[in-house]
Amino acid sequence: MGHALASHQVRAAMQRPGGLRNPMARAAITTAAAGAAMGGVGWWRHPNGGYGWVGPIFWPYAYYDLYDYAWWGGGYDPYFWDYGYGDLYAGLFGPYDYDALSGYAYYLPGYAGPRPPATGRSRATAQTTTLADMCGSDRSDIAGFPIEQFRSAIQPNAEQSTALDDLASASQKASATILNSCPKDVPLTAPSRLAAMQQRLQAMRDAVGILQPALERFYGLLSDDQKAKVTALVADQHRGQHEATADNGNCNTAQPAAIAWPGDIIERNVKPTDAQRASLDALRDAATKAEDTLKSSCPPTDARTPPARLAAVGARLDSMLQAIGTVRPAVDTFYSALSDEQKAAFDAVGPERDGGRSAMAAAGGDEPPRSRHRRHHHHGPNVGGMIFRMIGL
């Protein structure tokens, strides 16, 4: 874990002002944090190397990825379009088992158990942090929105300057909307993970709704010459990316081995009854329908302006919400029909796909028996604290 979280790319991003504005740095951080808990690469990894789920958090840098694609396009930030069915699948079959997630309990509201020793900067904030603080919000400025770059490049007149200020205010409000969607608890079951995922996606969609009118008004006031300067800024950003990709992204990248339905594991471990199997078949059908919905939603190749790309973001989030709205009722019905033993077996499907390794097992310790619906404490690696220190809050 120490080697993964102390990589040069992660340390450089955290030591540099505005380091999280680099999408590759964000992907490196989420990769290190997600992989550290499991001791491996992880079957739920994204095509471009990031992760949708880092412990209990879905889409840790949602605000940044949304803005980077809208302003700079997929050639600068392909990571927005990596989010899709694989993350919904990881919500159904969470990769982190109870012991891996228990490291986040230190940052839950009202947590009264022992805390790890505070050192350095963490000592001053140890008593006020919560799980929401791990969502990657940058409170010091307008995260991902290059307002001063645009002001300098286009030299706005008074009306345009007012519209730009209004857009900045909308950006702040949108940021708060997304931040407020961070989970207040660690979701341990498939229904609770999908609920947290839906809440996060809905907040992102609401943020787009806040931004669109302000962005369209600002952009609509620009002259052709000013729009050309905005395009030049985009081109400059692309030249700064060493691994730029095409605007059509990777949202349809086939990963059949990673997202194959784990029917054999469910049959062997959950042992559904005939009555339960009907609702399980309905769940699988719903998941297939959701996958098809997301396959038909990819970035448009002709989205050449920020308003067009923000509209594409909204459409993609609509598709993701439609997909999760298809699956969530089916998983609720199936899960509620299971016994406690069957629920525990279903919740263990994801970790089994990763070789059955928990955070403690990956660290070389012996895994104690689990009690999935009772909070307990362990003194293994504090994954939550590592992520907390990494994002510098």
Side-chain angles (χ1 to χ4, degrees):
M1 282 191 183
H3 288 302
L5 299 178
S7 70
H8 173 74
Q9 193 169 10
V10 170
R11 285 186 289 107
M14 293 298 92
Q15 294 168 0
R16 185 172 62 249
L20 290 181
R21 291 197 173 191
N22 185 317
M24 290 187 291
R26 295 197 300 271
I29 292 169
T30 55
T31 297
M38 303 301 291
V41 172
W43 53 260
W44 70 109
R45 189 173 186 173
H46 284 174
N48 282 294
Y51 285 85
W53 287 90
V54 177
I57 304 294
F58 172 65
W59 213 324
Y61 297 108
Y63 189 78
Y64 291 89
D65 290 337
L66 186 157
Y67 272 116
D68 276 347
Y69 174 73
W71 281 112
W72 310 125
Y76 176 76
D77 183 358
Y79 302 104
F80 175 86
W81 293 95
D82 280 351
Y83 286 82
Y85 178 72
D87 302 303
L88 194 157
Y89 181 98
L92 277 171
F93 307 109
Y96 300 93
D97 67 7
Y98 188 91
D99 293 302
L101 285 170
S102 63
Y104 294 89
Y106 298 112
Y107 299 100
L108 290 171
Y111 174 72
R115 292 182 179 271
T119 59
R121 185 176 180 182
S122 67
R123 182 177 290 111
T125 58
Q127 300 305 313
T128 59
T129 58
T130 68
L131 190 65
D133 290 321
M134 289 188 282
C135 278
S137 173
D138 186 347
R139 297 180 177 88
S140 63
D141 63 1
I142 306 171
F145 178 53
I147 184 169
E148 295 308 322
Q149 283 181 273
F150 278 79
R151 195 183 302 275
S152 176
I154 66 174
Q155 295 295 303
N157 59 32
E159 185 180 18
Q160 293 168 342
S161 185
T162 298
L164 187 56
D165 290 339
D166 291 343
L167 179 55
S169 297
S171 179
Q172 294 274 19
K173 184 177 179 181
S175 174
T177 298
I178 295 176
L179 178 62
N180 289 337
S181 71
C182 288
K184 304 299 187 293
D185 206 343
V186 173
L188 296 173
T189 66
S192 61
R193 283 190 298 270
L194 292 190
M197 185 178 182
Q198 188 174 37
Q199 177 176 311
R200 188 81 162 146
L201 290 170
Q202 185 59 60
M204 294 176 68
R205 188 61 185 88
D206 292 344
V208 171
I210 292 169
L211 284 165
Q212 272 185 309
L215 175 58
E216 289 174 359
R217 179 173 183 272
F218 166 69
Y219 200 79
L221 290 173
L222 300 182
S223 67
D224 289 343
D225 182 62
Q226 288 172 315
K227 291 176 181 177
K229 291 176 180 178
V230 170
T231 301
L233 276 178
V234 172
D236 288 342
Q237 293 293 326
H238 286 202
R239 281 192 289 271
Q241 285 291 89
H242 299 300
E243 299 178 8
T245 60
D247 273 356
N248 59 2
N250 293 284
C251 71
N252 278 343
T253 300
Q255 301 178 75
I259 60 175
W261 186 258
D264 292 344
I265 299 177
I266 295 173
E267 286 292 331
R268 182 181 72 243
N269 296 349
V270 181
K271 298 180 176 61
T273 65
D274 289 342
Q276 292 167 343
R277 191 169 283 107
S279 58
L280 176 60
D281 290 342
L283 172 57
R284 181 173 183 172
D285 291 344
T288 299
K289 184 177 179 180
E291 184 177 16
D292 291 341
T293 296
L294 291 171
K295 280 183 177 179
S296 65
S297 168
C298 276
T301 58
D302 58 349
R304 304 299 183 189
T305 66
R309 287 192 290 268
L310 186 62
V313 165
R316 176 64 172 180
L317 293 173
D318 285 340
S319 294
M320 295 182 75
L321 285 167
Q322 179 183 343
I324 202 169
T326 299
V327 172
R328 190 176 171 191
V331 75
D332 287 346
T333 299
F334 172 68
Y335 197 84
S336 65
L338 300 179
S339 67
D340 288 345
E341 291 77 8
Q342 288 175 312
K343 289 176 180 177
F346 187 81
D347 292 333
V349 169
E352 176 163 333
R353 293 212 57 188
D354 202 62
R357 294 174 297 176
S358 71
M360 292 182 70
D366 295 327
E367 184 176 359
R370 283 189 296 179
S371 173
R372 298 197 59 85
H373 300 288
R374 175 174 58 85
R375 180 177 292 177
H376 69 281
H377 315 301
H378 72 86
H379 300 286
N382 178 10
V383 179
M386 291 179 182
I387 297 176
F388 178 82
R389 288 191 294 274
M390 282 166 50
I391 61 178
L393 293 168

